[in-house]
Amino acid sequence: MYYSDYNHFNSDEKPVECFQYHVHEDTQPPKKKRLWPKIAALCLSCALLGGAVGGLGTAALGGAFGGGSGTVLYQGESPTAVTLSNVEQNEPMTAAQIYAAYVGSTVGITTEVNTNVYGQVVQTAASGSGFIVSQNGYIVTNYHVIEDADSIQVTLYDGRSYPATLVGGDEDNDVAVLKIEETGLTPVVIGSSDSLVVGDQVFAIGNPLGELTFSLTGGYVSALDRNVTMSDGSRMNYIQTDTAINSGNSGGPLFNTYGQVVGIVTAKLSSSGSSTSASVEGLGFAIPMDNVKNIITDLIEHGYVTGKPYLGLVSTNVSGEAQRYGTPAGAYVLGVVEGSCSANAGVQTGDIITAFNGEAITSADELTNAVSACKAGDEVTLTIVRSGQTVTATLTLEERDAAREQAIQELYDQIQQEQYEQYQQQQQQSGWGYGFPFGW
């Protein structure tokens, strides 16, 4: 499966190789310069993105910046969080009516990355789609469309183009909110994905191939609550549809027959390693709107998703070789943020977390998933193996915010830098030079 974003939006730009990178946090303020490459997993097994580099996984991260107030979102049913204006939509609309009403609410998104993973100054572009959710310029898209971008440009149907600011994003749910400085825009109406049934007609407006801009495609809901396992072990819940979805559609709206947005177009299943040569047809996926309504309003109001848990440590998997010598499987703690709930509970670098609230933990991914199932303020118990002895640590999960996000990212970067330097030293001593390991 691959994300349906694309590396070419304007027809006068040259396509370039587009890598995807993944760190287990929700947003990336401020911009971080990474020293290690990570590559999207593109395969029939529905792996959307590769896991953390070198086996590194963060058990809990979070944060963002920005925020706003006085914003009105429109939805067809009950209010979410920000000021809502309910819209009466009692009559079904034809595909032509939906397109005429909301093509102006759909946007093209172009991003630029000015430094690549090797520290070289380059300029690449990646494009996707998005949709306007307020008259004063808030736009929803996929997180992976704008991930690692140094600059973001939004283009409207009438040709107007604006620089966009990242208000906040939630990587776990692949949702991001952008802001352009404009008013009097036509927002979409947000509908309820819970009201969908298999067989309902749905329509997508987006920018397939990055050049066939503002195209309408239609189809049916093929399945609901389709759980897809990512390559990092996490799971996402999707609407499955046979609506045509291609590179460049990522982040665009999925409409029901009342012209309400019920999903965010995200991915397409592929049996090929190339996102532009998929041989599987009619298998597209969209994020259900009811799953992310509160996330979107949180991002608009706070710049981050409130209530998300934060453990304050970085972990990796215990290697198979170590396990053969008697070391237990679990999440090996590579570092603990000073002053975090984990540090205050006595968790130390070198600990191996083997259980979370009594449930076995055999990898860093399992720890991440266990924490993600909790909320800030929950009291949890970690079972830890330390120097051959089993100990327990009880702590209260904190809320992820910008400061904690920055702290965990700095720790993550420090660990990665230290491991990279150790690798260079080993290569120099062995006479292999300063080569960079693939997948580091």
Side-chain angles (χ1 to χ4, degrees), residues 76-375:
E77 308 246 345
S78 57
T80 53
V82 214
T83 305
L84 258 286
S85 177
N86 290 329
V87 177
E88 291 292 335
Q89 290 179 301
N90 298 320
E91 297 296 328
M93 303 170 67
T94 66
Q97 289 172 330
I98 291 171
Y99 186 81
Y102 295 112
V103 65
S105 305
T106 307
V107 305
I109 298 173
T110 303
T111 66
E112 291 184 349
V113 180
N114 298 319
T115 305
N116 68 8
V117 293
Y118 302 105
Q120 299 168 328
V121 177
V122 296
Q123 190 172 68
T124 61
S127 70
S129 304
F131 53 95
I132 299 166
V133 293
S134 71
Q135 293 180 345
N136 60 337
Y138 284 99
I139 294 167
V140 171
T141 187
N142 284 142
Y143 179 86
H144 76 265
V145 169
I146 51 79
E147 184 178 12
D148 288 328
D150 289 290
S151 65
I152 305 169
Q153 198 77 12
V154 166
T155 303
L156 306 186
Y157 178 64
D158 61 11
R160 287 179 292 169
S161 186
Y162 303 86
T165 301
L166 174 62
V167 176
D170 179 13
E171 184 177 10
D172 294 342
N173 291 284
D174 198 19
V175 177
V177 173
L178 310 177
K179 180 71 165 63
I180 61 174
E181 295 305 316
E182 184 59 279
T183 58
L185 300 172
T186 302
V188 299
V189 175
I190 298 173
S192 173
S193 54
D194 288 346
S195 65
L196 291 174
V197 296
V198 173
D200 277 350
Q201 274 193 299
V202 286
F203 306 93
I205 301 177
N207 305 286
L209 306 185
E211 293 181 347
L212 304 176
T213 56
F214 302 102
S215 296
L216 173 74
T217 56
Y220 297 91
V221 174
S222 304
L224 296 168
D225 300 318
R226 182 68 79 192
N227 287 312
V228 177
T229 302
M230 313 302 174
S231 60
D232 63 0
S234 62
R235 296 179 68 83
M236 286 197 67
N237 179 284
Y238 285 120
I239 300 166
Q240 181 184 327
T241 177
D242 65 349
T243 302
I245 293 171
N246 290 285
S247 301
N249 278 113
S250 274
L254 186 72
F255 295 95
N256 63 14
T257 54
Y258 291 89
Q260 300 171 343
V261 176
V262 292
I264 304 173
V265 174
T266 299
K268 178 180 181 178
L269 188 65
S270 171
S271 63
S272 168
S274 169
S275 65
T276 57
S277 61
S279 60
V280 177
E281 298 298 332
L283 291 177
F285 298 89
I287 301 169
M289 282 304 298
D290 282 321
N291 290 8
V292 294
K293 282 181 182 178
N294 291 338
I295 291 173
I296 291 169
T297 53
D298 259 0
L299 292 175
I300 292 173
E301 292 180 341
H302 307 287
Y304 66 96
V305 181
T306 60
K308 278 202 164 189
Y310 173 85
L311 192 59
L313 58 79
V314 176
S315 64
T316 190
N317 300 331
V318 175
S319 69
E321 182 179 0
Q323 291 181 49
R324 286 193 292 272
Y325 284 93
T327 302
Y332 180 86
V333 179
L334 290 166
V336 182
V337 175
E338 184 178 352
S340 67
C341 57
S342 288
N344 294 336
V347 181
Q348 302 174 12
T349 299
D351 285 350
I352 301 173
I353 299 172
T354 58
F356 183 92
N357 282 344
E359 296 293 327
I361 295 295
T362 62
S363 67
D365 288 334
E366 288 186 2
L367 178 61
T368 299
N369 293 338
V371 175
S372 297
C374 300
K375 60 181 182 296

